[in-house]
Amino acid sequence: MERDLELLSWQLKGMHPWPIIRMRVFHELTRRARIHGAPHPVRRTPYDKAALVGKHVSGIVTRSPFPGRYDALVVPHPRKPNGVEIYTDELRAILGDNALILDSGINGVPLDGSKNLDFFTSAAGALHRRTVDDRGIQEALQKLTGVRVPIGALLAREIPKHARLRVLYRALLKKHRIKTVYLVVAYFHQHIVGAARDLGIRVVELQHGAISPFHLGYSYPGRPAVADQPDELWCFGSYWTDVADLPAGMRTEVMGAAFLPKPGLKKNQAVFLSQGTIGAELIHTAEAVAKQHPDIEVLYRLHPSERSDDYTIPDNVQLSTGGSTLDLLATATYQVGVSTTALFEGMALGCRTAVAHLPGHEYLEPAVAKGHALLMHDPAQLTQAPLCDDPGSYYAPSDLSRLTAQQPE
């Protein structure tokens, strides 16, 4: 469909709309098809919403990113388990005061000392038409999948928002004469990437999760030219550099990962790694494994975006919410999940890895093919799960100091 409708070359009011909504369309499609739930649900009470508006207004003065002068812009991930944002932590330490940290408080708690444009981000999407012409995408997608996704409404909301924010970020980048933009989750920050590309500024994306041929934020079969993409993608290990066809011209580097702890003394535990997309099904798999292997302690580990009241936990399964997931995996013998990045982290931490046969397991097909994980169809197979014999291909030692030294003058 993408090729037949020439969506990557399509322009609307000077914008390339398809890359802007591509990942949003995927999430909406899988949600409406009931293949997946919401990947990272954000839930707010009326009080939370009112408080957020207050923070936006006060932030115009207290968190404005325009004062000062910086060489680099860093946009961290909103997810911060135990208050730590692991993906840019080392990078921010290396760059020090030369970096402007732009961290939104809309879907998380911003880092201390960071700035944001949250008021303008929210306001940019406030006014828009109900729908626009969608180039026949909705009809073609429904014919292909049987699912109706309101593409016109997505375009009507996202394209004006993108255009308004792109202008704002161009002004910010020009004011500081930024040389390099570092960011996480570029496919949801294309207004920043686009603003940088307009000004000829280098853009580097730092990997934050699993990349695969099925991840529409990264995978473009045939490596076509795609508008508003980063110049470089810095990956945890060599495995990620060629596991998917990236957009034309995007280079990869191995930055490594300094955030993984050392493997510890292993306990007779199986940690199930939940995700909002498949949690309702995975909890039943955990129950079945606990029945099949009563000698193994089965823990059900929530994703940071989930809550304990999202699930009814079986009596033979223990709910795990506190502490660090990485520390938990460092001492667990087995791990079970579907497509979460934590499975790869667990491989590097010495866990025997089983991939539950649920929607999304395809993300782990290359690892299964290499013998680094087992695709588990039956609970009895858990104890056959293998150890990964090449963990460095997924998480190499950190090389960020060398890479950041290459920043343009």
Side-chain angles (χ1 to χ4, degrees), residues 97-245:
D97 294 337
N98 291 323
L100 168 61
I101 312 303
L102 203 66
D103 192 18
S104 173
I106 295 177
N107 292 327
V109 178
L111 294 166
D112 290 342
S114 65
K115 311 298 182 182
N116 65 51
L117 289 168
D118 286 354
F119 175 84
F120 301 98
T121 300
S122 295
L127 297 176
H128 56 81
R129 296 168 60 183
R130 291 176 62 89
T131 189
V132 296
D133 178 69
D134 71 355
R135 198 181 174 87
I137 300 172
Q138 179 176 304
E139 181 180 352
L141 194 61
Q142 186 167 359
K143 184 177 180 180
L144 183 67
T145 67
V147 180
R148 181 182 179 275
V149 177
I151 303 297
L154 269 175
L155 290 167
R157 182 183 74 230
E158 296 299 332
I159 303 311
K161 181 177 181 179
H162 173 98
R164 293 162 188 157
L165 289 175
R166 190 166 181 152
V167 171
L168 179 63
Y169 277 91
R170 275 203 304 267
L172 177 67
L173 295 172
K174 286 177 71 175
K175 192 271 177 188
H176 291 294
R177 299 178 185 175
I178 296 292
K179 297 182 178 69
T180 303
V181 173
Y182 300 94
L183 77 172
V184 184
V185 198
Y187 50 84
F188 284 149
H189 291 102
Q190 284 180 330
H191 50 283
I192 303 178
V193 178
R197 298 306 295 266
D198 291 343
L199 299 171
I201 297 171
R202 174 188 182 217
V203 181
V204 175
E205 178 173 4
L206 280 69
Q207 183 180 355
H208 74 284
I211 299 171
S212 86
F214 309 101
H215 194 311
L216 296 194
Y218 300 101
S219 180
Y220 287 87
R223 301 206 67 181
V226 184
D228 303 332
Q229 301 299 303
D231 297 288
E232 302 170 37
L233 175 65
W234 290 4
C235 302
F236 299 138
S238 59
Y239 168 84
W240 308 105
T241 62
D242 60 4
V243 71
D245 281 355

Side-chain angles (χ1 to χ4, degrees), residues 310-377:
D310 289 342
Y311 303 107
T312 300
I313 304 299
D315 293 339
N316 57 356
V317 175
Q318 294 184 39
L319 182 66
S320 173
T321 57
S324 163
T325 299
L326 295 179
D327 289 341
L328 183 66
L329 294 176
T331 58
T333 297
Y334 303 100
Q335 61 168 350
V336 185
V338 178
S339 59
T340 176
T341 313
L343 285 173
F344 293 97
E345 294 167 343
M347 289 183 211
L349 293 172
C351 291
R352 294 182 176 274
T353 302
V355 181
H357 192 261
L358 292 172
H361 70 83
E362 297 87 356
Y363 274 58
L364 272 290
E365 279 183 353
V368 171
K370 291 173 183 287
H372 297 168
L374 168 77
L375 183 59
M376 187 174 72
H377 298 265

Side-chain angles (χ1 to χ4, degrees), residues 11 14 30 33 84 88 155 161 279 322 366 370 400:
Q11 293 192 45
T30 54
V84 179
T88 66
L155 290 167
K161 181 177 181 179
K370 291 173 183 287
L400 268 178

Side-chain angles (χ1 to χ4, degrees), residues 285-298:
T285 304
E287 182 179 20
V289 165
K291 288 180 179 177
Q292 181 72 37
H293 304 280
D295 57 318
I296 298 176
E297 182 182 19
V298 175

